[in-house]
């Protein structure tokens, strides 16, 4: 059975909608993994930025 152009376009839009939903779910899972816990990647990254800023501000305060 051959699909009409309208039906084919509708099926493609539905597939794009499902792909978008799957993308959102995966992104949310990645964000949760990055944020969760005390030793999380985000905590380590923030600590690194704080350390860098402290060293940077110290070096600027030198005469």
């Amino acid at each position: 059975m051959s699909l009409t152009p309208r039906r084919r376009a509708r099926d493609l839009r539905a597939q794009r909608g499902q792909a978008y939903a799957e993308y959102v779910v995966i992104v949310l899972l990645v964000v949760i993994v990055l944020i969760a816990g005390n030793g999380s990647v985000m905590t380590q990254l923030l600590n690194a930025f704080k350390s860098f800023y402290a060293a940077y501000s110290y070096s600027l305060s030198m005469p």
Side-chain angles (χ1 to χ4, degrees), residues 2-14 16:
S2 174
L3 294 176
T4 64
R6 278 188 189 161
R7 184 165 179 189
R8 192 174 308 141
R10 185 182 65 212
D11 289 346
L12 288 175
R13 279 193 302 271
R16 270 186 268 158

Side-chain angles (χ1 to χ4, degrees), residues 10-60:
R10 185 182 65 212
D11 289 346
L12 288 175
R13 279 193 302 271
Q15 287 177 2
R16 270 186 268 158
Q18 177 157 353
Y20 181 74
E22 291 172 0
Y23 176 76
V24 168
V25 168
I26 296 299
V27 168
L28 287 175
L29 288 174
V30 168
V31 168
I32 289 171
V33 166
L34 289 175
I35 293 175
N38 285 338
S40 71
V41 175
M42 290 303 292
T43 304
Q44 293 174 6
L45 184 63
L46 289 174
N47 288 337
F49 278 129
K50 287 177 187 176
S51 173
F52 173 76
Y53 184 75
Y56 178 72
S57 64
Y58 175 76
S59 66
L60 285 178

